[in-house]
Amino acid sequence: FKMAEVEVKDVEMEDLSEENTEQKITPKKDKDLLTIEDIRDRMKLIERGVAQKESRYILRAVRSIQKLRKTSNSNVLWKLVSVLFPAGTIKNTLLSFLDEPMETSTNSITVRVGKTGKTAQPLLPEIELFIHLLILLQIFDNSDINKAKSCSDVLMKKILSYNRRSLDPISAKAYYYHSNIHERQGTLASVRSFFHSCLRTSTLHYDEESQAILLNLLLRNYIHYNLYDQADKLVSKSTFPSSANNCELARYLFYLGRIRAIQLDYSEAYKHLIQAIRKAPQQSAVGFRQTAHKFLIVVQLLLGEIPDRATFRERILSKPLRPYFQLTQAVRNGDLSQFSVVLQEYVDRFQQDHTYTLIIRLHHNVIKTGIRIMSLSYSRISLKDIAIKLGLDDTLDAEYIVGKAIKDGVIEATIDHQNGYMQSKEKIDIYPTKEPQETFHERIQFCLDLYTQSIKAMRYPPKSYKESENVEELREKEQQLIEVVKMVDEDEEEEDFP
């Protein structure tokens, strides 16, 4: 038995050694080769979309650009352009934007495009612009803004030279990065007229993807230069496409909330900002959510509401919202001196966040809150004590502020001008009034709007099938639909928010 056990062990050791040699023999695929295979798969999707005239395949390829952006490099793009493009000005122009790889004796890479597998045949314009867009992102990630601008200008000229509806998803993405490059250079105003002409063209062509992106880019352009009146005119004279994805809808609602906040329409601004935060991706787009919450907190304070404390405790929001938490405490306590200290300490931060002009308006809200607290705490208080508590210089200022608060309905009180004091009235039971009914109506309307938006955001299976289809075919179609929905959700989660 011992001899048999030894023989079995020897055989097992030989098997293990064979497995180890097999693992050593099979080489691992290079990262560049895997990236090229991914790009080739996206090119096949584009070819399929052009052949079947289905833009959803091209849209899937465009939405995967963020994944390819992380894995591609100058070496991969150089090899792609060298193999795919025939000799000519287009190839030389694209290669001029890339750095020549150091190792020229690398493994030869065969890139097959189309069913024939011939690389000498002319490329589709969609594939050409797709690769050009990847090159633009590579230059942009290397922080070479001047070269990225020249590359983007060439890409815009190519887009305008073609009149193909299959190019719409690629051109929409190109518009976004063209604006981003000019924003980095500080020349955002120079592309405004160009985007207006592109918006008119996309509206006439019913290109809703480009229409949504261009509308957001123009709103961002106007808000960047504080042209809120022109941004409001653009919103009033245009219609945001209903079929746009949630990322663009979230951007549009955010810009709309900022416009309404500047125009003193705080209730509409609050509603738009809440919807923007809900429409934005919850796992990514951290910067967008932080910025939207900053504006939302300031708008809530301007409405006379106190934000929920749980908002400031979230992991991704606690640190950037720390100045706004101190600001909320000052407004909640009605402490004008604390409000001035917070404003002076974080003035640079507020100006960088573009919320400084809205925060200055909170000065009157702090005073109103302080007066409301005093009216609830004291049945009678002199105007001199009110001036001291609010940090005012004169009793006349306190008398004017208290009179304004009484007129606006902030407090229920009367002023005795001869004796110089404020007399608070007895509390009135609000339940016999219409105020509970109006508040309840606002809550019901909010829930109904939320329900309507949720129904619109849902994706439904086809309504009816043909009678000749079998149960297995129906299951296969449902499975394909589920996979498409998952892929779209993953792509939307990876959308970049500036």
Side-chain angles (χ1 to χ4, degrees), residues 13-35:
M13 290 296 293
E14 289 177 0
D15 294 339
L16 290 173
S17 61
E18 288 178 359
E19 289 179 359
N20 292 330
T21 54
E22 287 179 358
Q23 290 178 358
K24 291 180 181 179
I25 291 171
T26 55
K28 293 183 178 179
K29 284 190 176 181
D30 190 12
K31 292 182 179 179
D32 293 349
L33 292 174
L34 293 174
T35 304

Short mmCIF file of all heavy atoms in Angstrom, two decimals, residues 13-35:
data_model
loop_
_atom_site.label_atom_id
_atom_site.label_comp_id
_atom_site.label_asym_id
_atom_site.label_seq_id
_atom_site.Cartn_x
_atom_site.Cartn_y
_atom_site.Cartn_z
N MET A 13 2.10 14.99 -8.29
CA MET A 13 3.12 16.01 -8.43
C MET A 13 3.40 16.31 -9.89
O MET A 13 3.62 17.46 -10.28
CB MET A 13 4.40 15.56 -7.73
CG MET A 13 4.29 15.52 -6.21
SD MET A 13 4.02 17.16 -5.52
CE MET A 13 5.59 17.91 -5.90
N GLU A 14 3.40 15.23 -10.72
CA GLU A 14 3.62 15.44 -12.15
C GLU A 14 2.48 16.26 -12.76
O GLU A 14 2.71 17.15 -13.58
CB GLU A 14 3.72 14.09 -12.86
CG GLU A 14 5.02 13.36 -12.54
CD GLU A 14 5.06 11.99 -13.21
OE1 GLU A 14 4.06 11.68 -13.90
OE2 GLU A 14 6.05 11.27 -13.04
N ASP A 15 1.22 15.99 -12.31
CA ASP A 15 0.08 16.75 -12.82
C ASP A 15 0.19 18.22 -12.44
O ASP A 15 -0.06 19.12 -13.24
CB ASP A 15 -1.24 16.18 -12.30
CG ASP A 15 -1.50 14.78 -12.84
OD1 ASP A 15 -0.90 14.46 -13.89
OD2 ASP A 15 -2.27 14.03 -12.21
N LEU A 16 0.61 18.46 -11.19
CA LEU A 16 0.75 19.85 -10.75
C LEU A 16 1.83 20.57 -11.51
O LEU A 16 1.71 21.73 -11.88
CB LEU A 16 1.05 19.89 -9.24
CG LEU A 16 -0.11 19.49 -8.31
CD1 LEU A 16 0.39 19.42 -6.86
CD2 LEU A 16 -1.25 20.48 -8.44
N SER A 17 2.93 19.85 -11.76
CA SER A 17 4.01 20.49 -12.51
C SER A 17 3.58 20.81 -13.94
O SER A 17 3.94 21.85 -14.50
CB SER A 17 5.24 19.56 -12.53
OG SER A 17 4.90 18.34 -13.18
N GLU A 18 2.76 19.90 -14.53
CA GLU A 18 2.26 20.17 -15.88
C GLU A 18 1.35 21.39 -15.89
O GLU A 18 1.40 22.22 -16.80
CB GLU A 18 1.51 18.94 -16.40
CG GLU A 18 2.43 17.78 -16.74
CD GLU A 18 1.64 16.57 -17.21
OE1 GLU A 18 0.38 16.69 -17.23
OE2 GLU A 18 2.24 15.54 -17.54
N GLU A 19 0.50 21.49 -14.82
CA GLU A 19 -0.38 22.66 -14.76
C GLU A 19 0.41 23.95 -14.62
O GLU A 19 0.09 24.97 -15.22
CB GLU A 19 -1.35 22.51 -13.59
CG GLU A 19 -2.40 21.43 -13.81
CD GLU A 19 -3.31 21.31 -12.61
OE1 GLU A 19 -3.09 22.06 -11.63
OE2 GLU A 19 -4.23 20.47 -12.65
N ASN A 20 1.48 23.90 -13.81
CA ASN A 20 2.29 25.11 -13.63
C ASN A 20 2.97 25.51 -14.92
O ASN A 20 3.05 26.70 -15.25
CB ASN A 20 3.35 24.88 -12.55
CG ASN A 20 2.71 24.74 -11.17
OD1 ASN A 20 1.65 25.31 -10.93
ND2 ASN A 20 3.34 23.97 -10.29
N THR A 21 3.46 24.50 -15.69
CA THR A 21 4.10 24.84 -16.96
C THR A 21 3.10 25.41 -17.95
O THR A 21 3.41 26.33 -18.70
CB THR A 21 4.75 23.58 -17.55
OG1 THR A 21 3.76 22.53 -17.63
CG2 THR A 21 5.92 23.12 -16.70
N GLU A 22 1.84 24.89 -17.89
CA GLU A 22 0.81 25.43 -18.79
C GLU A 22 0.48 26.88 -18.43
O GLU A 22 0.30 27.72 -19.30
CB GLU A 22 -0.46 24.57 -18.70
CG GLU A 22 -0.30 23.22 -19.40
CD GLU A 22 -1.58 22.41 -19.28
OE1 GLU A 22 -2.53 22.92 -18.62
OE2 GLU A 22 -1.63 21.30 -19.82
N GLN A 23 0.46 27.16 -17.11
CA GLN A 23 0.18 28.54 -16.70
C GLN A 23 1.31 29.46 -17.12
O GLN A 23 1.10 30.61 -17.47
CB GLN A 23 -0.02 28.61 -15.19
CG GLN A 23 -1.31 27.95 -14.73
CD GLN A 23 -1.46 28.00 -13.22
OE1 GLN A 23 -0.58 28.51 -12.53
NE2 GLN A 23 -2.56 27.47 -12.72
N LYS A 24 2.55 28.94 -17.09
CA LYS A 24 3.67 29.78 -17.50
C LYS A 24 3.67 29.99 -19.00
O LYS A 24 4.05 31.03 -19.50
CB LYS A 24 4.98 29.13 -17.07
CG LYS A 24 5.18 29.12 -15.57
CD LYS A 24 6.50 28.46 -15.19
CE LYS A 24 6.68 28.44 -13.68
NZ LYS A 24 7.95 27.77 -13.30
N ILE A 25 3.22 28.99 -19.74
CA ILE A 25 3.25 29.10 -21.20
C ILE A 25 2.19 30.08 -21.69
O ILE A 25 2.44 30.88 -22.57
CB ILE A 25 3.04 27.71 -21.84
CG1 ILE A 25 4.28 26.83 -21.56
CG2 ILE A 25 2.80 27.82 -23.33
CD1 ILE A 25 4.10 25.39 -21.96
N THR A 26 0.97 30.05 -21.06
CA THR A 26 -0.10 30.94 -21.55
C THR A 26 0.19 32.37 -21.08
O THR A 26 0.12 32.66 -19.89
CB THR A 26 -1.45 30.49 -20.97
OG1 THR A 26 -1.34 30.44 -19.54
CG2 THR A 26 -1.83 29.12 -21.49
N PRO A 27 0.53 33.26 -21.97
CA PRO A 27 0.87 34.63 -21.57
C PRO A 27 -0.39 35.44 -21.29
O PRO A 27 -1.45 35.21 -21.86
CB PRO A 27 1.61 35.17 -22.79
CG PRO A 27 1.04 34.42 -23.94
CD PRO A 27 0.66 33.06 -23.43
N LYS A 28 -0.24 36.38 -20.38
CA LYS A 28 -1.35 37.28 -20.09
C LYS A 28 -1.45 38.34 -21.18
O LYS A 28 -0.45 38.81 -21.70
CB LYS A 28 -1.14 37.95 -18.73
CG LYS A 28 -1.21 37.01 -17.57
CD LYS A 28 -1.07 37.76 -16.26
CE LYS A 28 -1.18 36.81 -15.08
NZ LYS A 28 -1.03 37.52 -13.79
N LYS A 29 -2.69 38.73 -21.47
CA LYS A 29 -2.89 39.74 -22.49
C LYS A 29 -2.46 41.11 -21.98
O LYS A 29 -2.66 41.45 -20.82
CB LYS A 29 -4.37 39.79 -22.90
CG LYS A 29 -4.79 38.64 -23.79
CD LYS A 29 -6.17 38.89 -24.35
CE LYS A 29 -6.56 37.80 -25.33
NZ LYS A 29 -7.89 38.03 -25.91
N ASP A 30 -1.84 41.85 -22.88
CA ASP A 30 -1.40 43.19 -22.54
C ASP A 30 -2.61 44.09 -22.34
O ASP A 30 -3.66 43.91 -22.95
CB ASP A 30 -0.50 43.72 -23.66
CG ASP A 30 0.17 45.00 -23.24
OD1 ASP A 30 0.12 45.33 -22.04
OD2 ASP A 30 0.74 45.68 -24.11
N LYS A 31 -2.46 45.11 -21.47
CA LYS A 31 -3.55 46.05 -21.24
C LYS A 31 -3.90 46.82 -22.51
O LYS A 31 -5.06 47.12 -22.76
CB LYS A 31 -3.17 47.02 -20.12
CG LYS A 31 -3.07 46.37 -18.75
CD LYS A 31 -2.73 47.39 -17.68
CE LYS A 31 -2.65 46.74 -16.31
NZ LYS A 31 -2.30 47.74 -15.26
N ASP A 32 -2.87 47.16 -23.28
CA ASP A 32 -3.12 47.88 -24.53
C ASP A 32 -3.94 47.04 -25.51
O ASP A 32 -4.83 47.54 -26.20
CB ASP A 32 -1.80 48.30 -25.18
CG ASP A 32 -1.08 49.34 -24.34
OD1 ASP A 32 -1.70 49.87 -23.40
OD2 ASP A 32 0.09 49.64 -24.63
N LEU A 33 -3.62 45.72 -25.54
CA LEU A 33 -4.38 44.84 -26.43
C LEU A 33 -5.84 44.73 -25.99
O LEU A 33 -6.75 44.74 -26.82
CB LEU A 33 -3.73 43.45 -26.45
CG LEU A 33 -2.35 43.34 -27.11
CD1 LEU A 33 -1.80 41.94 -26.92
CD2 LEU A 33 -2.45 43.67 -28.58
N LEU A 34 -6.06 44.67 -24.68
CA LEU A 34 -7.43 44.60 -24.18
C LEU A 34 -8.18 45.90 -24.49
O LEU A 34 -9.37 45.87 -24.84
CB LEU A 34 -7.42 44.35 -22.67
CG LEU A 34 -6.88 42.99 -22.21
CD1 LEU A 34 -6.80 42.94 -20.69
CD2 LEU A 34 -7.77 41.87 -22.73
N THR A 35 -7.50 47.02 -24.37
CA THR A 35 -8.14 48.30 -24.68
C THR A 35 -8.51 48.38 -26.15
O THR A 35 -9.59 48.85 -26.52
CB THR A 35 -7.20 49.46 -24.31
OG1 THR A 35 -6.83 49.34 -22.92
CG2 THR A 35 -7.88 50.80 -24.53
#
